[in-house]
Amino acid sequence: MAEWKKETEEERNKRMRWWREAKFGMFIHWGVYAVLAGVYKGKQIPGIGEWIMHRARIPVAEYKEYAKKFNPVKYDPEEWVLLARWAGMRYIVITSKHHDGFALFDSKVTDWDVVDATPYGRDLLKPLVEAARRHGMRIGFYYSQAQDWCHPGGAAAGGHWDEAQEGDMDKYIEEIAVPQVRELFTNYGPIDIIWWDTPVDMTRERAEKFLPLLDLQPHIIMNNRLGGGIEGDFGTPEQHIPEEGIPGKDWEVCMTMNDTWGYKSYDHNWKSTETLIRNLVDIASKGGNYLLNVGPTAEGLIPEPSVVRLREIGRWMSVYGESIYATTASPIGRPPWGRCTKKETEDGVKLYLHVFDWPSDGRLVVPRLRSKVEAAYLLSDPNKNYLDVKQVEEGVAVSVPKEAPDPIDSVVVLKVEGELEVEPAQEG
Ligand code: FHN
């Protein structure tokens, strides 16, 4: 049972169901920092792009000037949602306000928002939420509740460098953060996720100020970064995949495609499509979700290298999505040739064997599996032609074609007969 919400285990499972099945989402880090794109006064500032104000110690008034150049006339929320959908993503989480305090929505409690401070002058969240709904995409808001470098009292947590930041954190929470979260929970219809961040200095008392607001969104799912010891619904390993997953918990790995969340013009250190697909598979095989980031430009474009990768992931997902969605962790650990995901359906258990290293001798050995196999076939085979299967000493051996159907990850489906029986893992 989630401790922040009064509900039964059954109610919680019902609330979490779509999220557990979705497996793959898009994170969007977008704000005024995209104008700087990693460069301040002609100098490339090291570190993640959305932290440029902090890293370069840019005074508040000076940073706010950059909003005048934030004019995302090329922003096409429909296109973003369709791209995410094509990639096989089932939800989007966007930074409604990051640590620079700039709101991507029309906030009545500050002028430091897209409507009042930029030439664009329109709420950016509303059309994204609408496009998401049109296309059956779940939508969530990231909100930096404890760190805000442009409002007095909000920089307490992250250190401050400008008099304009001085103030009382409690007052900041009461007058800016809480009212803004109320706006987010009131003005956009049903919101699926609230993604808190950096709960530095968030005492229990401070965190509890946000809890009553959650009643405005009875189905909302929240991460574990509100602070004050409130666990939330899911864990958030960042930029790494836990070796063994987080057994018994819901969790989501958030990760960048290059080395920054917010746009940086010169960060070209892109992960390959192979890495991204294998990460998704690795995470699913350990029972987690993957929230993969894009950092759009100040004009409103998702960088081309991200688009290319998302399209390639989508090509793979269009064939192999079944082996990801609504699956749970591998019952056979990490086999030597790749990963395994599992699905329980009304007509029995299916194992999806994700083969990264295709056996050149055409013999794929599934360790520890003691159940009988009713059917085995390649997921990419539209005819589902049966492959030969033998019980062997190590487990089960499947005869596969000599050539891998997919160079990144080919999937063999095993339909298990009756109950799933697996030998315990060997120690060491
Ligand atoms: O400081 C932020 C960072 O900018 C980024 O938003 C990530 C995403 O998880 N969260 C914080 C660091 O943990």
Side-chain angles (χ1 to χ4, degrees), residues 27 29 48 50-51 98-99 142 195 197-198 225 238 254 261:
F27 213 175
H29 274 71
I48 40 183
E50 71 283 4
W51 273 71
H98 203 263
H99 310 330
Y142 166 111
W195 217 100
D197 206 4
T198 58
R225 296 191 186 182
E238 179 167 324
C254 55
W261 304 92

Side-chain angles (χ1 to χ4, degrees), residues 32 64-70 102-103 110-121:
V32 167
K64 284 190 171 176
E65 284 297 302
Y66 288 101
K68 296 185 179 151
K69 292 194 186 138
F70 186 75
F102 176 76
T110 181
D111 285 345
W112 185 223
D113 68 35
V114 64
V115 175
D116 299 312
T118 77
Y120 189 73

Side-chain angles (χ1 to χ4, degrees), residues 153-202:
H160 54 273
W161 54 92
D162 182 340
E163 268 180 14
Q165 297 167 320
E166 266 156 42
D168 176 18
M169 186 171 175
D170 291 301
K171 194 162 169 321
Y172 161 75
I173 287 180
E174 224 145 85
E175 292 178 7
I176 301 290
V178 165
Q180 284 196 330
V181 173
R182 185 176 296 112
E183 290 175 332
L184 290 170
F185 286 178
T186 314
N187 298 339
Y188 300 88
I191 296 306
D192 299 298
I193 299 168
I194 178 76
W195 217 100
W196 311 107
D197 206 4
T198 58
V200 194
D201 288 344
M202 283 295 284

Side-chain angles (χ1 to χ4, degrees), residues 55 59 99 136 141-142 220 222 229 248-249 280 347 358 396 406:
R55 292 273 153 83
H99 310 330
F141 294 148
Y142 166 111
I220 205 159
M222 77 166 184
K249 300 255 183 208
L280 172 62
D347 50 279
W358 194 256
V396 162
D406 189 283

